Amino acid sequence: MATLETKGMFDVFTRSGSASRMTHYCAGCGHGIVHKLLSEAYVELGLQDRVVIVNPIGCAVFGYYYWDVGNVSAGHGQAPSMATAISRLKDKAITISYQGDGDLAAIGLSHTLQAAARGEHMAVFFVNNSIYGMTGGQMAPTTLVGQKTTTSPLGRNPETDGMPLHMAELVNTLDLPVYIERVSVADTARIMKAKRAIRKALEIQRDRKGYTFVEILSPCPTSCGKAPMDAAKFVIEQMEKEYPLGCLRDNTAEAKVRPEPKPWVNLAEFFGDDGSEDPVPDATGEVKERRFKFTGFGGQGILSLGLVVADAARAMGLETTWLPSYGPEQRGGDASCTVVTSTQTIGSPAVEHPELLVVMNQAACNKHLMTVRKGGLALVDATVTLPETLPEGVRIVQIPAIDIAAANGMPKAANVAILGGLSALDALAIPEHVLIDALKRSFAKKPTLVDANIKVFMAAIDYCRHHGLTGELP
């Protein structure tokens, strides 16, 4: 469908590989209208340079070819979670989650309701055309009773398919959303009301007053098997009976600017610090970003080890992330965590190819050893049998961490012995005394264990030095 030149959209669209003014939408589709209304609104409000739109999986997946603003693509249904991250990290951003009914109300239902329940600073524009459009016209959560689709050829049957979801009403059961309205783009008068609702939602974002949800009833001629005019008539005569138009909530006047939530964990509070000031940062000069992974099984203190390292890096004034991964078992299941430290803002806490890998059991060795990047280090407990094929260019050091802990009267402190080994190898680029201070903070609620664990830590350092196991991570 051709579109007229619109402020806030690119001058030409290059999705097809050549410059044109043609979108990929079918004739009569409502998405093009909504795109125009949205782009006009953020331009008129002077927000274009601040807008970030999270594009969905669905017919609007190629929105980034059209909107001349910041664009991010999200996994199926995960646009509200992506928008949450953007809004929390970039407090000046006008964050928009643009989604269809399959993306928002089916696979993304939990993401949608949880973001609304938290009152995240985002504008959600929900394009409801009562059917899955991009994937071939299957029944959607919003498909009407009796409506025929490729997966309900006899029409939606409430006895087997349930009733349509009313998303605006569902969101309206939650306390924190500021503004909720349902509009339509089926004719000119309705389009003008939709424009006012879209603009209002953006004004609320501009004023940092909270979560807004605008549901937009839209025709889908192709998947509904109708001519464009008949598809618009279907919206007015049938969809609007099921989904009445109107404003369900407008708390704009009483809504206050909410303080920005911090996107990070305060590790001192996590460890139960006594409220004293953080240690004076020790970092001098630039330190490159370092990516670590700690692996083993539940009960070996894998996650605690990563937390101590992250807390020590935090004490040095470094940017730090800690990301745990574990199974449902309290003990015995796979456990791992990643830690990233940097002097700059960290883009992602995920670590696929660590420069440092800690391995504390055989299963972790079999799963993770070959992922260490060339030039990196793997510190492996001596109980683990190394495979015949080892990663190229990786230094592998084995120490009897479990035995060291047991020999010093703390059999459950093998993770602390590993920490001592890392200190001896200078694998973390964190001074020994900073690690000891972080270790002490980790036992703030169990002070009687501090000295015993420091003893294990120092015993591991002595072992490494006695056996010539020292060196700096490249």
Side-chain angles (χ1 to χ4, degrees), residues 1 3 25 28-40 98 184-187 191 194 198 216 218-219:
M1 181 182 72
T3 62
Y25 297 118
C29 172
H31 276 295
I33 298 171
V34 181
H35 283 21
K36 179 179 176 67
L37 298 181
L38 178 55
S39 59
E40 288 179 344
Y98 186 104
S184 169
V185 291
D187 64 18
I191 290 171
I198 290 171
I216 305 167
S218 170

mmCIF file with all atom_site columns, all heavy atoms in Angstrom, residues 1 3 25 28-40 98 184-187 191 194 198 216 218-219:
data_model
loop_
_atom_site.group_PDB
_atom_site.id
_atom_site.type_symbol
_atom_site.label_atom_id
_atom_site.label_alt_id
_atom_site.label_comp_id
_atom_site.label_asym_id
_atom_site.label_entity_id
_atom_site.label_seq_id
_atom_site.pdbx_PDB_ins_code
_atom_site.Cartn_x
_atom_site.Cartn_y
_atom_site.Cartn_z
_atom_site.occupancy
_atom_site.B_iso_or_equiv
_atom_site.pdbx_formal_charge
_atom_site.auth_seq_id
_atom_site.auth_comp_id
_atom_site.auth_asym_id
_atom_site.auth_atom_id
_atom_site.pdbx_PDB_model_num
ATOM 1   N N   . MET A 1 1   ? 0.846   -1.196 0.000  1.00 0.00 ? 1   MET A N   1
ATOM 2   C CA  . MET A 1 1   ? 0.000   0.000  0.000  1.00 0.00 ? 1   MET A CA  1
ATOM 3   C C   . MET A 1 1   ? 0.878   1.242  0.000  1.00 0.00 ? 1   MET A C   1
ATOM 4   O O   . MET A 1 1   ? 1.782   1.357  0.808  1.00 0.00 ? 1   MET A O   1
ATOM 5   C CB  . MET A 1 1   ? -0.905  0.018  1.236  1.00 0.00 ? 1   MET A CB  1
ATOM 6   C CG  . MET A 1 1   ? -1.834  1.230  1.288  1.00 0.00 ? 1   MET A CG  1
ATOM 7   S SD  . MET A 1 1   ? -2.851  1.242  2.786  1.00 0.00 ? 1   MET A SD  1
ATOM 8   C CE  . MET A 1 1   ? -1.587  1.651  3.991  1.00 0.00 ? 1   MET A CE  1
ATOM 9   N N   . THR A 1 3   ? 1.933   5.047  0.656  1.00 0.00 ? 3   THR A N   1
ATOM 10  C CA  . THR A 1 3   ? 1.650   6.000  1.726  1.00 0.00 ? 3   THR A CA  1
ATOM 11  C C   . THR A 1 3   ? 2.122   7.379  1.296  1.00 0.00 ? 3   THR A C   1
ATOM 12  O O   . THR A 1 3   ? 3.097   7.521  0.570  1.00 0.00 ? 3   THR A O   1
ATOM 13  C CB  . THR A 1 3   ? 2.382   5.625  3.023  1.00 0.00 ? 3   THR A CB  1
ATOM 14  O OG1 . THR A 1 3   ? 3.779   5.659  2.786  1.00 0.00 ? 3   THR A OG1 1
ATOM 15  C CG2 . THR A 1 3   ? 1.960   4.262  3.515  1.00 0.00 ? 3   THR A CG2 1
ATOM 16  N N   . TYR A 1 25  ? 2.270   -3.412 3.779  1.00 0.00 ? 25  TYR A N   1
ATOM 17  C CA  . TYR A 1 25  ? 0.931   -3.707 4.267  1.00 0.00 ? 25  TYR A CA  1
ATOM 18  C C   . TYR A 1 25  ? -0.061  -3.881 3.115  1.00 0.00 ? 25  TYR A C   1
ATOM 19  O O   . TYR A 1 25  ? 0.065   -3.269 2.050  1.00 0.00 ? 25  TYR A O   1
ATOM 20  C CB  . TYR A 1 25  ? 0.448   -2.593 5.197  1.00 0.00 ? 25  TYR A CB  1
ATOM 21  C CG  . TYR A 1 25  ? 1.301   -2.468 6.436  1.00 0.00 ? 25  TYR A CG  1
ATOM 22  C CD1 . TYR A 1 25  ? 1.992   -1.296 6.695  1.00 0.00 ? 25  TYR A CD1 1
ATOM 23  C CD2 . TYR A 1 25  ? 1.417   -3.524 7.329  1.00 0.00 ? 25  TYR A CD2 1
ATOM 24  C CE1 . TYR A 1 25  ? 2.791   -1.173 7.830  1.00 0.00 ? 25  TYR A CE1 1
ATOM 25  C CE2 . TYR A 1 25  ? 2.213   -3.415 8.462  1.00 0.00 ? 25  TYR A CE2 1
ATOM 26  C CZ  . TYR A 1 25  ? 2.898   -2.238 8.704  1.00 0.00 ? 25  TYR A CZ  1
ATOM 27  O OH  . TYR A 1 25  ? 3.686   -2.143 9.810  1.00 0.00 ? 25  TYR A OH  1
ATOM 28  N N   . GLY A 1 28  ? -6.071  -1.575 2.593  1.00 0.00 ? 28  GLY A N   1
ATOM 29  C CA  . GLY A 1 28  ? -7.131  -1.593 3.589  1.00 0.00 ? 28  GLY A CA  1
ATOM 30  C C   . GLY A 1 28  ? -6.671  -1.936 4.991  1.00 0.00 ? 28  GLY A C   1
ATOM 31  O O   . GLY A 1 28  ? -7.464  -1.881 5.937  1.00 0.00 ? 28  GLY A O   1
ATOM 32  N N   . CYS A 1 29  ? -5.398  -2.283 5.165  1.00 0.00 ? 29  CYS A N   1
ATOM 33  C CA  . CYS A 1 29  ? -4.867  -2.611 6.491  1.00 0.00 ? 29  CYS A CA  1
ATOM 34  C C   . CYS A 1 29  ? -4.798  -1.360 7.353  1.00 0.00 ? 29  CYS A C   1
ATOM 35  O O   . CYS A 1 29  ? -4.470  -0.272 6.872  1.00 0.00 ? 29  CYS A O   1
ATOM 36  C CB  . CYS A 1 29  ? -3.474  -3.219 6.348  1.00 0.00 ? 29  CYS A CB  1
ATOM 37  S SG  . CYS A 1 29  ? -2.605  -3.454 7.915  1.00 0.00 ? 29  CYS A SG  1
ATOM 38  N N   . GLY A 1 30  ? -5.105  -1.499 8.632  1.00 0.00 ? 30  GLY A N   1
ATOM 39  C CA  . GLY A 1 30  ? -5.093  -0.356 9.518  1.00 0.00 ? 30  GLY A CA  1
ATOM 40  C C   . GLY A 1 30  ? -3.719  0.055  10.004 1.00 0.00 ? 30  GLY A C   1
ATOM 41  O O   . GLY A 1 30  ? -3.551  1.159  10.537 1.00 0.00 ? 30  GLY A O   1
ATOM 42  N N   . HIS A 1 31  ? -2.712  -0.807 9.849  1.00 0.00 ? 31  HIS A N   1
ATOM 43  C CA  . HIS A 1 31  ? -1.383  -0.487 10.370 1.00 0.00 ? 31  HIS A CA  1
ATOM 44  C C   . HIS A 1 31  ? -0.822  0.795  9.766  1.00 0.00 ? 31  HIS A C   1
ATOM 45  O O   . HIS A 1 31  ? -0.202  1.608  10.466 1.00 0.00 ? 31  HIS A O   1
ATOM 46  C CB  . HIS A 1 31  ? -0.412  -1.646 10.113 1.00 0.00 ? 31  HIS A CB  1
ATOM 47  C CG  . HIS A 1 31  ? -0.458  -2.721 11.144 1.00 0.00 ? 31  HIS A CG  1
ATOM 48  N ND1 . HIS A 1 31  ? -0.095  -2.511 12.456 1.00 0.00 ? 31  HIS A ND1 1
ATOM 49  C CD2 . HIS A 1 31  ? -0.823  -4.027 11.056 1.00 0.00 ? 31  HIS A CD2 1
ATOM 50  C CE1 . HIS A 1 31  ? -0.225  -3.639 13.142 1.00 0.00 ? 31  HIS A CE1 1
ATOM 51  N NE2 . HIS A 1 31  ? -0.667  -4.566 12.315 1.00 0.00 ? 31  HIS A NE2 1
ATOM 52  N N   . GLY A 1 32  ? -1.015  0.975  8.455  1.00 0.00 ? 32  GLY A N   1
ATOM 53  C CA  . GLY A 1 32  ? -0.486  2.178  7.824  1.00 0.00 ? 32  GLY A CA  1
ATOM 54  C C   . GLY A 1 32  ? -1.088  3.439  8.420  1.00 0.00 ? 32  GLY A C   1
ATOM 55  O O   . GLY A 1 32  ? -0.391  4.443  8.611  1.00 0.00 ? 32  GLY A O   1
ATOM 56  N N   . ILE A 1 33  ? -2.372  3.389  8.739  1.00 0.00 ? 33  ILE A N   1
ATOM 57  C CA  . ILE A 1 33  ? -3.032  4.543  9.348  1.00 0.00 ? 33  ILE A CA  1
ATOM 58  C C   . ILE A 1 33  ? -2.445  4.814  10.725 1.00 0.00 ? 33  ILE A C   1
ATOM 59  O O   . ILE A 1 33  ? -2.126  5.958  11.080 1.00 0.00 ? 33  ILE A O   1
ATOM 60  C CB  . ILE A 1 33  ? -4.548  4.290  9.456  1.00 0.00 ? 33  ILE A CB  1
ATOM 61  C CG1 . ILE A 1 33  ? -5.167  4.113  8.066  1.00 0.00 ? 33  ILE A CG1 1
ATOM 62  C CG2 . ILE A 1 33  ? -5.230  5.426  10.216 1.00 0.00 ? 33  ILE A CG2 1
ATOM 63  C CD1 . ILE A 1 33  ? -6.607  3.655  8.092  1.00 0.00 ? 33  ILE A CD1 1
ATOM 64  N N   . VAL A 1 34  ? -2.282  3.747  11.514 1.00 0.00 ? 34  VAL A N   1
ATOM 65  C CA  . VAL A 1 34  ? -1.741  3.914  12.866 1.00 0.00 ? 34  VAL A CA  1
ATOM 66  C C   . VAL A 1 34  ? -0.307  4.437  12.806 1.00 0.00 ? 34  VAL A C   1
ATOM 67  O O   . VAL A 1 34  ? 0.093   5.289  13.602 1.00 0.00 ? 34  VAL A O   1
ATOM 68  C CB  . VAL A 1 34  ? -1.810  2.582  13.645 1.00 0.00 ? 34  VAL A CB  1
ATOM 69  C CG1 . VAL A 1 34  ? -1.261  2.768  15.056 1.00 0.00 ? 34  VAL A CG1 1
ATOM 70  C CG2 . VAL A 1 34  ? -3.241  2.070  13.710 1.00 0.00 ? 34  VAL A CG2 1
ATOM 71  N N   . HIS A 1 35  ? 0.467   3.935  11.858 1.00 0.00 ? 35  HIS A N   1
ATOM 72  C CA  . HIS A 1 35  ? 1.837   4.432  11.690 1.00 0.00 ? 35  HIS A CA  1
ATOM 73  C C   . HIS A 1 35  ? 1.828   5.947  11.460 1.00 0.00 ? 35  HIS A C   1
ATOM 74  O O   . HIS A 1 35  ? 2.632   6.686  12.053 1.00 0.00 ? 35  HIS A O   1
ATOM 75  C CB  . HIS A 1 35  ? 2.504   3.748  10.502 1.00 0.00 ? 35  HIS A CB  1
ATOM 76  C CG  . HIS A 1 35  ? 2.956   2.349  10.766 1.00 0.00 ? 35  HIS A CG  1
ATOM 77  N ND1 . HIS A 1 35  ? 2.448   1.574  11.774 1.00 0.00 ? 35  HIS A ND1 1
ATOM 78  C CD2 . HIS A 1 35  ? 3.883   1.563  10.132 1.00 0.00 ? 35  HIS A CD2 1
ATOM 79  C CE1 . HIS A 1 35  ? 3.030   0.388  11.756 1.00 0.00 ? 35  HIS A CE1 1
ATOM 80  N NE2 . HIS A 1 35  ? 3.907   0.358  10.769 1.00 0.00 ? 35  HIS A NE2 1
ATOM 81  N N   . LYS A 1 36  ? 0.936   6.387  10.597 1.00 0.00 ? 36  LYS A N   1
ATOM 82  C CA  . LYS A 1 36  ? 0.863   7.811  10.264 1.00 0.00 ? 36  LYS A CA  1
ATOM 83  C C   . LYS A 1 36  ? 0.452   8.625  11.496 1.00 0.00 ? 36  LYS A C   1
ATOM 84  O O   . LYS A 1 36  ? 1.058   9.662  11.807 1.00 0.00 ? 36  LYS A O   1
ATOM 85  C CB  . LYS A 1 36  ? -0.131  8.026  9.127  1.00 0.00 ? 36  LYS A CB  1
ATOM 86  C CG  . LYS A 1 36  ? -0.309  9.481  8.700  1.00 0.00 ? 36  LYS A CG  1
ATOM 87  C CD  . LYS A 1 36  ? -1.298  9.573  7.547  1.00 0.00 ? 36  LYS A CD  1
ATOM 88  C CE  . LYS A 1 36  ? -1.576  11.027 7.161  1.00 0.00 ? 36  LYS A CE  1
ATOM 89  N NZ  . LYS A 1 36  ? -0.402  11.696 6.573  1.00 0.00 ? 36  LYS A NZ  1
ATOM 90  N N   . LEU A 1 37  ? -0.543  8.155  12.211 1.00 0.00 ? 37  LEU A N   1
ATOM 91  C CA  . LEU A 1 37  ? -1.013  8.875  13.397 1.00 0.00 ? 37  LEU A CA  1
ATOM 92  C C   . LEU A 1 37  ? 0.078   8.951  14.454 1.00 0.00 ? 37  LEU A C   1
ATOM 93  O O   . LEU A 1 37  ? 0.283   10.000 15.086 1.00 0.00 ? 37  LEU A O   1
ATOM 94  C CB  . LEU A 1 37  ? -2.251  8.184  13.975 1.00 0.00 ? 37  LEU A CB  1
ATOM 95  C CG  . LEU A 1 37  ? -3.492  8.118  13.086 1.00 0.00 ? 37  LEU A CG  1
ATOM 96  C CD1 . LEU A 1 37  ? -4.622  7.422  13.845 1.00 0.00 ? 37  LEU A CD1 1
ATOM 97  C CD2 . LEU A 1 37  ? -3.916  9.496  12.636 1.00 0.00 ? 37  LEU A CD2 1
ATOM 98  N N   . LEU A 1 38  ? 0.774   7.866  14.649 1.00 0.00 ? 38  LEU A N   1
ATOM 99  C CA  . LEU A 1 38  ? 1.821   7.828  15.670 1.00 0.00 ? 38  LEU A CA  1
ATOM 100 C C   . LEU A 1 38  ? 2.969   8.755  15.315 1.00 0.00 ? 38  LEU A C   1
ATOM 101 O O   . LEU A 1 38  ? 3.453   9.536  16.155 1.00 0.00 ? 38  LEU A O   1
ATOM 102 C CB  . LEU A 1 38  ? 2.318   6.392  15.837 1.00 0.00 ? 38  LEU A CB  1
ATOM 103 C CG  . LEU A 1 38  ? 3.450   6.157  16.828 1.00 0.00 ? 38  LEU A CG  1
ATOM 104 C CD1 . LEU A 1 38  ? 3.090   6.699  18.205 1.00 0.00 ? 38  LEU A CD1 1
ATOM 105 C CD2 . LEU A 1 38  ? 3.785   4.664  16.909 1.00 0.00 ? 38  LEU A CD2 1
ATOM 106 N N   . SER A 1 39  ? 3.422   8.698  14.061 1.00 0.00 ? 39  SER A N   1
ATOM 107 C CA  . SER A 1 39  ? 4.552   9.537  13.659 1.00 0.00 ? 39  SER A CA  1
ATOM 108 C C   . SER A 1 39  ? 4.180   11.020 13.700 1.00 0.00 ? 39  SER A C   1
ATOM 109 O O   . SER A 1 39  ? 4.982   11.860 14.120 1.00 0.00 ? 39  SER A O   1
ATOM 110 C CB  . SER A 1 39  ? 5.046   9.142  12.265 1.00 0.00 ? 39  SER A CB  1
ATOM 111 O OG  . SER A 1 39  ? 4.020   9.275  11.307 1.00 0.00 ? 39  SER A OG  1
ATOM 112 N N   . GLU A 1 40  ? 2.958   11.350 13.292 1.00 0.00 ? 40  GLU A N   1
ATOM 113 C CA  . GLU A 1 40  ? 2.534   12.745 13.363 1.00 0.00 ? 40  GLU A CA  1
ATOM 114 C C   . GLU A 1 40  ? 2.491   13.233 14.811 1.00 0.00 ? 40  GLU A C   1
ATOM 115 O O   . GLU A 1 40  ? 2.885   14.363 15.115 1.00 0.00 ? 40  GLU A O   1
ATOM 116 C CB  . GLU A 1 40  ? 1.162   12.913 12.713 1.00 0.00 ? 40  GLU A CB  1
ATOM 117 C CG  . GLU A 1 40  ? 1.179   12.806 11.194 1.00 0.00 ? 40  GLU A CG  1
ATOM 118 C CD  . GLU A 1 40  ? -0.201  12.954 10.586 1.00 0.00 ? 40  GLU A CD  1
ATOM 119 O OE1 . GLU A 1 40  ? -1.198  12.832 11.344 1.00 0.00 ? 40  GLU A OE1 1
ATOM 120 O OE2 . GLU A 1 40  ? -0.294  13.180 9.375  1.00 0.00 ? 40  GLU A OE2 1
ATOM 121 N N   . TYR A 1 98  ? 4.753   -1.419 20.425 1.00 0.00 ? 98  TYR A N   1
ATOM 122 C CA  . TYR A 1 98  ? 3.752   -1.466 19.344 1.00 0.00 ? 98  TYR A CA  1
ATOM 123 C C   . TYR A 1 98  ? 3.509   -2.931 19.009 1.00 0.00 ? 98  TYR A C   1
ATOM 124 O O   . TYR A 1 98  ? 4.409   -3.614 18.527 1.00 0.00 ? 98  TYR A O   1
ATOM 125 C CB  . TYR A 1 98  ? 4.280   -0.706 18.129 1.00 0.00 ? 98  TYR A CB  1
ATOM 126 C CG  . TYR A 1 98  ? 3.297   -0.561 16.984 1.00 0.00 ? 98  TYR A CG  1
ATOM 127 C CD1 . TYR A 1 98  ? 2.652   0.647  16.761 1.00 0.00 ? 98  TYR A CD1 1
ATOM 128 C CD2 . TYR A 1 98  ? 3.019   -1.618 16.133 1.00 0.00 ? 98  TYR A CD2 1
ATOM 129 C CE1 . TYR A 1 98  ? 1.756   0.804  15.711 1.00 0.00 ? 98  TYR A CE1 1
ATOM 130 C CE2 . TYR A 1 98  ? 2.121   -1.485 15.088 1.00 0.00 ? 98  TYR A CE2 1
ATOM 131 C CZ  . TYR A 1 98  ? 1.488   -0.286 14.875 1.00 0.00 ? 98  TYR A CZ  1
ATOM 132 O OH  . TYR A 1 98  ? 0.593   -0.136 13.836 1.00 0.00 ? 98  TYR A OH  1
ATOM 133 N N   . SER A 1 184 ? -10.675 3.145  17.286 1.00 0.00 ? 184 SER A N   1
ATOM 134 C CA  . SER A 1 184 ? -10.799 2.412  16.030 1.00 0.00 ? 184 SER A CA  1
ATOM 135 C C   . SER A 1 184 ? -10.275 3.275  14.894 1.00 0.00 ? 184 SER A C   1
ATOM 136 O O   . SER A 1 184 ? -10.263 4.510  14.994 1.00 0.00 ? 184 SER A O   1
ATOM 137 C CB  . SER A 1 184 ? -12.269 2.047  15.787 1.00 0.00 ? 184 SER A CB  1
ATOM 138 O OG  . SER A 1 184 ? -12.472 1.569  14.467 1.00 0.00 ? 184 SER A OG  1
ATOM 139 N N   . VAL A 1 185 ? -9.854  2.627  13.810 1.00 0.00 ? 185 VAL A N   1
ATOM 140 C CA  . VAL A 1 185 ? -9.425  3.366  12.610 1.00 0.00 ? 185 VAL A CA  1
ATOM 141 C C   . VAL A 1 185 ? -10.251 2.928  11.402 1.00 0.00 ? 185 VAL A C   1
ATOM 142 O O   . VAL A 1 185 ? -9.764  2.899  10.275 1.00 0.00 ? 185 VAL A O   1
ATOM 143 C CB  . VAL A 1 185 ? -7.908  3.174  12.339 1.00 0.00 ? 185 VAL A CB  1
ATOM 144 C CG1 . VAL A 1 185 ? -7.084  3.862  13.396 1.00 0.00 ? 185 VAL A CG1 1
ATOM 145 C CG2 . VAL A 1 185 ? -7.533  1.687  12.265 1.00 0.00 ? 185 VAL A CG2 1
ATOM 146 N N   . ALA A 1 186 ? -11.521 2.613  11.643 1.00 0.00 ? 186 ALA A N   1
ATOM 147 C CA  . ALA A 1 186 ? -12.367 2.081  10.579 1.00 0.00 ? 186 ALA A CA  1
ATOM 148 C C   . ALA A 1 186 ? -12.992 3.148  9.702  1.00 0.00 ? 186 ALA A C   1
ATOM 149 O O   . ALA A 1 186 ? -13.475 2.850  8.606  1.00 0.00 ? 186 ALA A O   1
ATOM 150 C CB  . ALA A 1 186 ? -13.473 1.207  11.181 1.00 0.00 ? 186 ALA A CB  1
ATOM 151 N N   . ASP A 1 187 ? -13.039 4.406  10.150 1.00 0.00 ? 187 ASP A N   1
ATOM 152 C CA  . ASP A 1 187 ? -13.509 5.490  9.296  1.00 0.00 ? 187 ASP A CA  1
ATOM 153 C C   . ASP A 1 187 ? -12.870 6.796  9.776  1.00 0.00 ? 187 ASP A C   1
ATOM 154 O O   . ASP A 1 187 ? -12.145 6.827  10.778 1.00 0.00 ? 187 ASP A O   1
ATOM 155 C CB  . ASP A 1 187 ? -15.032 5.581  9.260  1.00 0.00 ? 187 ASP A CB  1
ATOM 156 C CG  . ASP A 1 187 ? -15.657 5.912  10.606 1.00 0.00 ? 187 ASP A CG  1
ATOM 157 O OD1 . ASP A 1 187 ? -14.943 6.401  11.511 1.00 0.00 ? 187 ASP A OD1 1
ATOM 158 O OD2 . ASP A 1 187 ? -16.871 5.673  10.773 1.00 0.00 ? 187 ASP A OD2 1
ATOM 159 N N   . ILE A 1 191 ? -10.818 7.686  13.173 1.00 0.00 ? 191 ILE A N   1
ATOM 160 C CA  . ILE A 1 191 ? -9.383  7.939  13.045 1.00 0.00 ? 191 ILE A CA  1
ATOM 161 C C   . ILE A 1 191 ? -8.986  9.208  13.806 1.00 0.00 ? 191 ILE A C   1
ATOM 162 O O   . ILE A 1 191 ? -7.941  9.241  14.475 1.00 0.00 ? 191 ILE A O   1
ATOM 163 C CB  . ILE A 1 191 ? -8.979  8.052  11.561 1.00 0.00 ? 191 ILE A CB  1
ATOM 164 C CG1 . ILE A 1 191 ? -9.074  6.678  10.888 1.00 0.00 ? 191 ILE A CG1 1
ATOM 165 C CG2 . ILE A 1 191 ? -7.564  8.614  11.414 1.00 0.00 ? 191 ILE A CG2 1
ATOM 166 C CD1 . ILE A 1 191 ? -8.895  6.716  9.377  1.00 0.00 ? 191 ILE A CD1 1
ATOM 167 N N   . ALA A 1 194 ? -8.822  8.376  17.368 1.00 0.00 ? 194 ALA A N   1
ATOM 168 C CA  . ALA A 1 194 ? -7.628  7.562  17.613 1.00 0.00 ? 194 ALA A CA  1
ATOM 169 C C   . ALA A 1 194 ? -6.392  8.445  17.699 1.00 0.00 ? 194 ALA A C   1
ATOM 170 O O   . ALA A 1 194 ? -5.507  8.221  18.538 1.00 0.00 ? 194 ALA A O   1
ATOM 171 C CB  . ALA A 1 194 ? -7.467  6.518  16.512 1.00 0.00 ? 194 ALA A CB  1
ATOM 172 N N   . ILE A 1 198 ? -3.756  8.567  20.831 1.00 0.00 ? 198 ILE A N   1
ATOM 173 C CA  . ILE A 1 198 ? -2.327  8.303  20.650 1.00 0.00 ? 198 ILE A CA  1
ATOM 174 C C   . ILE A 1 198 ? -1.504  9.485  21.158 1.00 0.00 ? 198 ILE A C   1
ATOM 175 O O   . ILE A 1 198 ? -0.498  9.314  21.855 1.00 0.00 ? 198 ILE A O   1
ATOM 176 C CB  . ILE A 1 198 ? -2.028  8.010  19.166 1.00 0.00 ? 198 ILE A CB  1
ATOM 177 C CG1 . ILE A 1 198 ? -2.627  6.645  18.774 1.00 0.00 ? 198 ILE A CG1 1
ATOM 178 C CG2 . ILE A 1 198 ? -0.529  8.038  18.893 1.00 0.00 ? 198 ILE A CG2 1
ATOM 179 C CD1 . ILE A 1 198 ? -2.578  6.361  17.284 1.00 0.00 ? 198 ILE A CD1 1
ATOM 180 N N   . ILE A 1 216 ? -6.362  -0.374 19.595 1.00 0.00 ? 216 ILE A N   1
ATOM 181 C CA  . ILE A 1 216 ? -6.804  0.205  18.327 1.00 0.00 ? 216 ILE A CA  1
ATOM 182 C C   . ILE A 1 216 ? -7.429  -0.901 17.485 1.00 0.00 ? 216 ILE A C   1
ATOM 183 O O   . ILE A 1 216 ? -6.733  -1.814 17.017 1.00 0.00 ? 216 ILE A O   1
ATOM 184 C CB  . ILE A 1 216 ? -5.626  0.849  17.573 1.00 0.00 ? 216 ILE A CB  1
ATOM 185 C CG1 . ILE A 1 216 ? -4.917  1.878  18.470 1.00 0.00 ? 216 ILE A CG1 1
ATOM 186 C CG2 . ILE A 1 216 ? -6.115  1.492  16.279 1.00 0.00 ? 216 ILE A CG2 1
ATOM 187 C CD1 . ILE A 1 216 ? -3.575  2.329  17.948 1.00 0.00 ? 216 ILE A CD1 1
ATOM 188 N N   . SER A 1 218 ? -8.673  -2.504 14.259 1.00 0.00 ? 218 SER A N   1
ATOM 189 C CA  . SER A 1 218 ? -8.128  -2.272 12.926 1.00 0.00 ? 218 SER A CA  1
ATOM 190 C C   . SER A 1 218 ? -8.614  -3.340 11.956 1.00 0.00 ? 218 SER A C   1
ATOM 191 O O   . SER A 1 218 ? -8.690  -4.525 12.306 1.00 0.00 ? 218 SER A O   1
ATOM 192 C CB  . SER A 1 218 ? -6.597  -2.294 12.994 1.00 0.00 ? 218 SER A CB  1
ATOM 193 O OG  . SER A 1 218 ? -6.012  -2.305 11.709 1.00 0.00 ? 218 SER A OG  1
ATOM 194 N N   . PRO A 1 219 ? -8.942  -2.964 10.715 1.00 0.00 ? 219 PRO A N   1
ATOM 195 C CA  . PRO A 1 219 ? -9.355  -3.959 9.733  1.00 0.00 ? 219 PRO A CA  1
ATOM 196 C C   . PRO A 1 219 ? -8.188  -4.772 9.192  1.00 0.00 ? 219 PRO A C   1
ATOM 197 O O   . PRO A 1 219 ? -7.068  -4.266 9.064  1.00 0.00 ? 219 PRO A O   1
ATOM 198 C CB  . PRO A 1 219 ? -9.989  -3.113 8.625  1.00 0.00 ? 219 PRO A CB  1
ATOM 199 C CG  . PRO A 1 219 ? -9.359  -1.767 8.756  1.00 0.00 ? 219 PRO A CG  1
ATOM 200 C CD  . PRO A 1 219 ? -9.048  -1.587 10.211 1.00 0.00 ? 219 PRO A CD  1
#
